[in-house]
Amino acid sequence: MYNSNGVRDCREFLEINQQRKLSQTERFRTKRIDQQVNQLAKCKWFSTLDLKSAYYQVPLAKEDRAYTAFEADGKLYQYCRLPFGVTNGVSCFQRIIDSVIADHELKQTFAYLDNITIGGFDKDDHDHNRKMFLDAVSKINLTFNDAKSVVAVTEVDILWYRISHGSIRPDPECFVRL
């Protein structure tokens, strides 16, 4: 998470990640990118929403916080929210987002980690799907990075693809010289 000076807090969780008695590897399978992209290409309108400090929006159970303890400036701290770098962080986060989509039966809504793409077969359908998603996530207090989000467009770049109605092309940014 960035502090007010724009510095990102980074911790190494290698020790607890290697202690399988503390953290069993979760076998949560993410959806295939090609299937999501093919479904989105059927839509005409799109929005992509970027979750702000995504993992840090997931609270940790009190009994699990001790495993995240670290020392800084002679003081002991523990994470209260899911930190980046723990073994099951990605799986846990993806499972939560996928559960919101499934539990609320959200249509044309696809999640890839902290990026949510919402489509619609027409503008009204898109607006309805977007509203339903925003209503669902407001119940669990998720917040978005408006600067990284794109709302109501007819072409969108996601997951290394440029998608518009009936068209899937490589994202041109992937071919820019380094």
Side-chain angles (χ1 to χ4, degrees):
M1 180 183 311
Y2 291 100
N3 67 18
S4 59
N5 296 326
V7 176
R8 183 178 282 226
D9 175 44
C10 296
R11 300 281 167 228
E12 175 60 66
F13 293 101
L14 184 61
E15 187 175 329
I16 67 166
N17 286 343
Q18 290 177 338
Q19 295 179 20
R20 294 292 180 228
K21 63 183 177 187
L22 300 179
S23 178
Q24 296 296 318
T25 302
E26 183 174 340
R27 301 284 184 218
F28 183 80
R29 179 174 276 184
T30 58
K31 293 185 173 81
R32 290 180 34 190
I33 292 172
D34 63 319
Q35 292 174 343
Q36 292 186 37
V37 168
N38 287 331
Q39 287 297 311
L40 278 167
K42 296 175 184 176
C43 297
K44 292 183 179 177
W45 288 87
F46 310 93
S47 287
T48 59
L49 305 175
D50 181 77
L51 286 162
K52 186 182 288 186
S53 301
Y55 289 27
Y56 291 125
Q57 295 192 50
V58 178
L60 280 180
K62 286 188 179 188
E63 63 270 15
D64 294 332
R65 294 177 184 174
Y67 299 121
T68 67
F70 63 95
E71 183 270 331
D73 292 329
K75 297 179 183 173
L76 187 63
Y77 299 90
Q78 296 176 355
Y79 281 88
C80 297
R81 304 252 172 204
L82 182 64
F84 291 91
V86 294
T87 295
N88 293 319
V90 172
S91 296
C92 174
F93 185 79
Q94 187 71 49
R95 183 175 24 82
I96 290 168
I97 297 299
D98 287 351
S99 294
V100 169
I101 293 169
D103 293 349
H104 293 276
E105 299 177 1
L106 300 175
K107 305 294 183 208
Q108 303 306 318
T109 303
F110 305 92
Y112 185 77
L113 302 178
D114 64 340
N115 294 299
I116 315 300
T117 304
I118 301 163
F121 300 118
D122 58 37
K123 181 78 164 67
D124 290 338
D125 185 44
H126 165 271
D127 293 347
H128 173 76
N129 293 342
R130 185 171 168 268
K131 181 184 181 324
M132 296 298 290
F133 174 75
L134 292 173
D135 289 348
V137 297
S138 72
K139 295 174 184 171
I140 57 172
N141 299 316
L142 292 181
T143 58
F144 298 92
N145 184 345
D146 292 334
K148 289 185 173 182
S149 297
V150 177
V151 178
V153 295
T154 57
E155 184 174 78
V156 67
D157 294 336
I158 61 157
L159 303 173
W160 312 283
Y161 294 97
R162 178 162 287 171
I163 302 169
S164 59
H165 179 63
S167 174
I168 303 169
R169 300 180 312 270
D171 181 346
E173 291 295 314
C174 293
F175 298 103
V176 174
R177 285 186 179 182
L178 296 178

